[in-house]
Amino acid sequence: GSASYTFTASANRTLVANFVRITYSITTSASPGAGGTTSGGGTVNSGDSITVVASANAGYSFVNWTEGGIAVSASASYGFTASANRTLVTNFALNTYTITTSASPVAGGSTSGGGTVNSGVSVTVQASANAGYGFINWTEGSAVESSSASYTFTASANRSLVANFDTYAQQLSKAIDAALSDDPPGLANSMHQQAEGISSAPNANAKAGRLGAFINHVNAQRGKALTPAEADNLIALAKLL
């Protein structure tokens, strides 16, 4: 009907003007779709207080609400009074992380990989030992993360990884202490002295002789103070000196 009603008066009349409350459609969506979800909106009455909420998925962060490409709110929870149909888009950004790597000691080797990466990507960091050094492990803080020089993981946070190196002499010294920790100290001390003698040999012939003596000493303890695996490890390390 018409809001303006004209008639000729011919009798008493009681007229009622009927009104209906206006409704609006509030639609929400996420961009990109994988970035998160939205809630709120739907069909609402004019004048209603409306709140739409954006929730980011793992690996994403909320950026803003836009309408027609224009930013309307930087809050994930956006409140307004319904006064028109609205098409709102919540925007999410993929998180990025910084993966830093370093060598300890610096003279021990070099590292590669890392940098700024997107959340969820596969990252591989690589440690390369310098001459005279061997790779030990990757650590972060006080935690050992990997004993492999090539360490692969999924980016989910900023990381500061350290590639640890030891000289071959240091590795052999530590291996002797670990293998003979439960034995009389004299045995470990004699092997330490022999190992130091190999490292300080004045020439190749002397080095070969001292290495042979060390190998004989180790083999004499094979199956006694040393397990076969421990003996093999000590000999392999001594040959690197």
Side-chain angles (χ1 to χ4, degrees), residues 183-207:
D183 294 282
L187 181 57
N189 289 339
S190 66
M191 286 195 179
H192 280 302
Q193 290 171 0
Q194 284 183 305
E196 291 166 5
I198 298 169
S199 297
S200 62
N203 54 58
N205 287 336
K207 187 171 188 177

Side-chain angles (χ1 to χ4, degrees), residues 22-216:
I22 296 172
T23 60
Y24 299 115
S25 177
I26 311 297
T27 61
T28 63
S29 61
S31 177
T37 59
T38 64
S39 61
T43 300
V44 299
N45 290 323
S46 176
D48 283 355
S49 179
I50 308 301
T51 299
V52 291
V53 178
S55 301
N57 287 338
Y60 288 82
S61 296
F62 169 80
V63 177
N64 59 15
W65 284 98
T66 56
E67 186 170 24
I70 299 172
V72 294
S73 179
S75 172
S77 179
Y78 171 39
F80 57 92
T81 300
S83 59
N85 294 323
R86 302 195 66 178
T87 301
L88 300 168
V89 177
T90 183
N91 299 285
F92 299 98
L94 187 63
N95 292 339
T96 59
Y97 301 114
T98 300
I99 311 299
T100 60
T101 63
S102 60
S104 178
V106 174
S110 59
T111 63
S112 59
T116 300
V117 299
N118 288 331
S119 175
V121 303
S122 179
V123 179
T124 298
V125 292
Q126 182 75 39
S128 302
N130 288 338
Y133 286 83
F135 170 78
I136 304 301
N137 56 25
W138 284 100
T139 55
E140 187 168 24
S142 59
V144 174
E145 298 297 329
S146 177
S147 58
S148 172
S150 180
Y151 171 37
T152 301
F153 58 92
T154 300
S156 59
N158 295 325
R159 302 196 67 179
S160 295
L161 299 167
V162 178
N164 299 288
F165 302 92
D166 269 342
T167 63
Y168 294 135
Q170 289 171 325
Q171 290 186 64
L172 178 55
S173 178
K174 291 177 180 178
I176 291 170
D177 287 338
L180 299 173
S181 60
D182 296 329
D183 294 282
L187 181 57
N189 289 339
S190 66
M191 286 195 179
H192 280 302
Q193 290 171 0
Q194 284 183 305
E196 291 166 5
I198 298 169
S199 297
S200 62
N203 54 58
N205 287 336
K207 187 171 188 177
R210 294 176 185 183
L211 174 60
F214 178 82
I215 292 173
N216 289 337

